[in-house]
């Protein structure tokens, strides 16, 4: 939200127009490219995760824009671009597979990000051509709640993709716990 600087909820994002989502995706990529260019004097990044909306990926003009943007990003990293497709909950498997298949040759990996983990959301992601799934850890969980959330979440996603990334672990201990339960990648929460 421009006025409050708060992140939009999933429901608010779903109410945005296709054009708004595409502009947000392109602005995010432009900002990432600017950061990569500013850091070029130091050691180049191995890869970069580029989040994009399924809505942008699902239409032809969006795919063309993303292809061009990914080419610019690829020039600035050593290994390649990891495309993280957002807003995939409830997307039918066929259209998602089609969109992922068309962008996959331009990426190192294609990841589906899940905001709301449900059996229905996971069913649509099975055999959709994704290399991995990513999930954000709910903030403020105590240790027992974190373990319970993690156990159920990682177990539920294992039949969908081989790799599962958990974002926002609050400590190295929690990252290690996530690995024990089968998360293949983790990131830490911002301090």
């Amino acid at each position: 939200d421009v006025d409050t600087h708060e992140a939009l909820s999933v429901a608010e994002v779903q109410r945005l127009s296709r054009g708004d989502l595409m502009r947000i995706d392109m602005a995010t990529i432009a900002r990432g490219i600017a950061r990569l260019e500013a850091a070029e004097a130091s050691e180049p990044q191995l890869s970069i995760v580029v989040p994009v909306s399924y809505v942008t990926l699902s239409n032809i003009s969006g795919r063309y824009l993303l292809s061009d943007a990914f080419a610019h990003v690829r020039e600035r990293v050593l290994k390649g671009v990891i495309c993280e497709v957002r807003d995939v909950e409830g997307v039918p498997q066929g259209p998602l597979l089609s969109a992922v298949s068309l962008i996959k040759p331009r990426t190192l990996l294609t990841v589906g990000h899940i905001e709301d983990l449900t059996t229905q959301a996971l069913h649509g992601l099975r055999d959709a051509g994704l290399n991995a799934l990513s999930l954000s850890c709910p903030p403020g969980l105590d240790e027992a709640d974190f373990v319970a959330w993690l156990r159920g979440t990682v177990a539920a996603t294992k039949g969908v993709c081989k790799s599962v990334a958990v974002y926002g672990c609050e400590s190295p201990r929690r990252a290690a716990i996530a690995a024990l339960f089968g998360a293949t990648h983790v990131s830490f929460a911002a301090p």
Side-chain angles (χ1 to χ4, degrees):
D1 186 295
V2 176
D3 295 328
T4 65
H5 301 285
E6 294 290 321
L8 297 177
S9 69
V10 173
E12 290 169 324
V13 170
Q14 290 174 343
R15 288 194 301 266
L16 293 173
S17 71
R18 180 184 300 262
D20 286 341
L21 291 169
M22 195 177 314
R23 282 189 289 279
I24 290 168
D25 286 342
M26 299 316 296
T28 301
I29 294 170
R31 184 173 181 201
I33 290 172
R35 284 185 162 181
L36 287 172
E37 288 173 346
E40 276 184 358
S42 64
E43 192 172 318
Q45 298 291 317
L46 286 176
S47 63
I48 188 167
V49 177
V50 178
V52 298
S53 171
Y54 167 75
V55 172
T56 301
L57 189 60
S58 69
N59 75 66
I60 294 170
S61 60
R63 277 196 294 269
Y64 284 127
L65 288 171
L66 289 175
S67 292
D68 288 344
F70 286 176
H72 289 294
V73 174
R74 260 196 328 267
E75 293 171 357
R76 289 161 178 81
V77 294
L78 296 175
K79 295 293 183 183
V81 178
I82 298 169
C83 177
E84 182 180 63
V85 185
R86 298 276 179 140
D87 312 320
V88 295
E89 290 90 344
V91 173
Q93 185 179 17
L96 181 58
L97 177 60
S98 175
V100 167
S101 297
L102 291 170
I103 201 69
K104 209 169 193 175
R106 294 161 181 80
T107 64
L108 180 64
L109 298 169
T110 307
V111 177
H113 184 80
I114 302 172
E115 290 289 339
D116 185 22
L117 183 65
T118 63
T119 304
Q120 180 184 6
L122 290 175
H123 179 72
L125 299 177
R126 192 178 319 274
D127 299 322
L130 298 168
N131 299 106
L133 296 177
S134 64
L135 304 130
S136 296
C137 179
L141 296 178
D142 65 24
E143 193 86 9
D145 288 339
F146 173 74
V147 169
W149 172 82
L150 192 62
R151 178 181 289 131
T153 298
V154 174
T157 60
K158 276 304 183 182
V160 178
C161 287
K162 292 179 183 176
S163 298
V164 177
V166 177
Y167 297 157
C169 288
E170 293 178 356
S171 68
R173 174 181 166 77
R174 288 195 176 183
I177 292 169
L180 286 173
F181 280 104
T184 55
H185 300 79
V186 297
S187 73
F188 294 106

